Amino acid sequence: MQTPLFDNGFEAPQQLIAPNDGGDVRLHPQIIDQDSANQFLAELTQTIKWEQRAITVYGKRHLQPRLIAWHGDPGIRYRYSGDTLIAEQWTPALLALRALCERECGVAFNSVLLNRYRDGQDAMGWHADNEIELGDKPVIASVSLGEARRFDLRHKKSREKRSARLPHGSLLVMAGETQVYWEHQIARSRKVVDERINLTFRHIAT
């Protein structure tokens, strides 16, 4: 695979949530050139070991409405909703995308959670990434490949909502106190028919 383009000259980032709103969320609508994004999408679809796993929600076990995978440094584990993930090894594609995210965010990531949305009926409910092993103010870099989906944010107290479209080859960065005051989701959509892969790079405290 050729070295992907990582160019802040594409389009200026959009500030979805500013620090005075209780968080820091920025969207780079295009951070990877389209040819490279297409290659990443094809490679990840074919080479990642995708699983549909069960989680606990309000005391009941449910299959997640999407496929997932967890990769990272040796021994890195991630626990959420009654499930524990043990990291698979980094692949060349994941290492390349991690390098892009680290360059943009200025932090080191030791793991990545991948979500594969097969169509518009695959979704992610309202939640905050506030697990203790992520720390108080985690930086989470979220790369989107494939079909664009709407990303919703909701303030935990005021219930104010904000939304943005996450295009193919985009990068969303959540930092600061975002996970303290805001939650987010990917809602179901009848209009979406194609696949999307989302990679959320994180640093897990060990």
Side-chain angles (χ1 to χ4, degrees):
M1 180 175 208
Q2 296 181 346
T3 301
L5 293 179
F6 178 84
D7 189 353
N8 287 329
F10 279 132
E11 185 176 340
Q14 304 168 10
Q15 190 82 41
L16 303 182
I17 295 177
N20 59 1
D21 296 322
D24 182 4
V25 180
R26 289 167 284 125
L27 172 63
H28 299 262
Q30 185 181 3
I31 204 71
I32 307 169
D33 71 281
Q34 295 297 285
D35 287 343
S36 296
N38 291 339
Q39 292 180 50
F40 278 125
L41 179 62
E43 184 170 343
L44 294 173
T45 300
Q46 297 167 11
T47 62
I48 295 298
K49 181 182 176 182
W50 298 100
E51 297 181 290
Q52 186 174 22
R53 297 175 66 101
I55 58 173
T56 302
V57 180
Y58 298 116
K60 296 183 179 181
R61 297 292 284 174
H62 301 273
L63 283 175
Q64 297 179 76
R66 60 193 175 279
L67 305 179
I68 72 163
W70 173 250
H71 288 250
D73 293 349
I76 295 292
R77 300 181 180 223
Y78 185 43
R79 301 174 182 85
Y80 71 100
S81 299
D83 194 20
T84 299
L85 305 175
I86 301 174
E88 300 285 343
Q89 294 181 349
W90 293 102
T91 69
L94 295 178
L95 288 172
L97 289 169
R98 180 177 73 167
L100 298 186
C101 292
E102 289 182 337
R103 190 185 312 176
E104 172 60 31
C105 298
V107 300
F109 298 110
N110 61 8
S111 52
V112 60
L113 179 65
L114 298 93
N115 290 288
R116 182 178 176 182
Y117 301 85
R118 295 160 291 186
D119 56 30
Q121 295 308 300
D122 278 1
M124 173 87 75
W126 287 111
H127 71 287
D129 296 318
N130 55 6
E131 291 80 15
I132 190 170
E133 56 263 48
L134 292 174
D136 294 333
K137 298 179 180 179
V139 176
I140 298 176
S142 177
V143 175
S144 292
L145 301 169
E147 181 78 2
R149 295 289 294 265
R150 193 187 77 217
F151 177 77
D152 299 319
L153 290 150
R154 181 172 69 184
H155 196 276
K156 293 180 181 179
K157 291 185 178 180
S158 70
R159 315 310 278 178
E160 174 192 356
K161 291 183 180 180
R162 301 183 186 184
S163 299
R165 181 174 171 271
L166 304 182
H168 183 44
S170 64
L171 171 66
L172 179 86
V173 181
M174 296 185 286
E177 294 183 309
T178 302
Q179 308 305 324
V180 176
Y181 295 106
W182 295 81
E183 52 190 0
H184 52 277
Q185 73 163 359
I186 297 289
R188 287 183 170 86
S189 173
R190 295 180 179 177
K191 298 179 181 179
V192 174
V193 297
D194 291 327
E195 286 197 328
R196 168 183 182 255
I197 291 178
N198 171 242
L199 307 94
T200 51
F201 291 87
R202 306 144 184 263
H203 180 84
I204 300 292
T206 58

